[in-house]
Amino acid sequence: MIDHYDWAGGREAMLRFGPDTGPVVVAALPLFEEANRTRAFVVTILRALAERGIASALLDLPGQGESLVPLHALSILQIQDAYGSAIEVFDREGRRSYAASIRSGALLDALGLMFGRWHFAPVGGPQLLRELTRIKQAEVGAARKLGDCWFFDGSLPEDAEDPPVEIAGNLVSTDLLTDLMVKEPFSSDDAAETPLRTVRLESDPKPADLKVPGAPLWRRAEPDNDPALAALLADDIAAWVRACEG
């Protein structure tokens, strides 16, 4: 079902799956081009959750999907605020929300009133910024070496606003890039009473509660899907939500 939610910056769409009662898994896609590479995969997970009796929602966050808000007008905090506003929709319905965040989507669920967070292959802001720097370095060529704060225009007056930076076809605000220097996914240290489950691919050496076989779809040149992995992750999410619900 196509629905919507309101936040301080306007109205955004969301897709709702599964039953209209009980807990709701709210997905957060990665930032930038990775969202396009993983959207079909996440929709497959959410449809599989519906088959398992678990409701879910896929948000168009500001700057993503069909949102009319340009990415270059946003900071991470504004996107987090929009995610939190979507969670309030389910809170008003008397339903408990659980995050299911993919890659850098794990940076976006921090402000929602969640009863648990499930993260798949989460990345921190500094790691994402390093990846964006490598992309931008390839675009500008080896002749121009980028420093740590390459996205600031040093030629502008001190009180002037830096223009957005184009990275792989995305216009990104310097505010958002600055946010990435310090933003990390929600951790159990932030709220020990809020369940957190981290799932990673077997090829990922970082610690996780569960490691699963599969290929990183976000590394492929074109959007793709992996129904077998989606079913495996849906099984894990469904079992975890039911365990959290007691």
Side-chain angles (χ1 to χ4, degrees), residues 100-113:
S101 304
I102 314 298
R103 294 279 288 165
S104 57
L107 299 173
L108 308 178
D109 62 28
L111 298 186
L113 179 60

Side-chain angles (χ1 to χ4, degrees), residues 4-7 9-15 26-32 35 39 57-71 74-87 100-102 104-112 176:
H4 69 270
Y5 68 96
D6 295 308
W7 69 291
R11 173 168 290 186
E12 305 292 351
M14 67 175 169
L15 296 176
V26 184
L29 291 172
L31 292 162
F32 313 125
R39 185 179 181 91
L58 177 59
L59 311 178
D60 268 355
L61 289 168
Q64 289 186 350
E66 301 301 317
S67 173
L68 299 179
V69 182
L71 182 61
L74 296 165
S75 65
I76 292 288
L77 183 60
Q78 289 171 301
I79 302 174
Q80 289 176 328
D81 180 64
Y83 184 95
S85 295
I87 298 305
S101 304
I102 314 298
S104 57
L107 299 173
L108 308 178
D109 62 28
L111 298 186
L176 192 152

Side-chain angles (χ1 to χ4, degrees), residues 132-147 150 165-167:
L132 295 175
T133 300
R134 285 195 292 270
I135 293 170
K136 188 63 179 179
Q137 185 67 73
E139 290 176 349
V140 302
R144 178 188 167 196
K145 294 296 182 183
L146 299 178
W150 53 268
V165 180
E166 184 172 355
I167 309 171

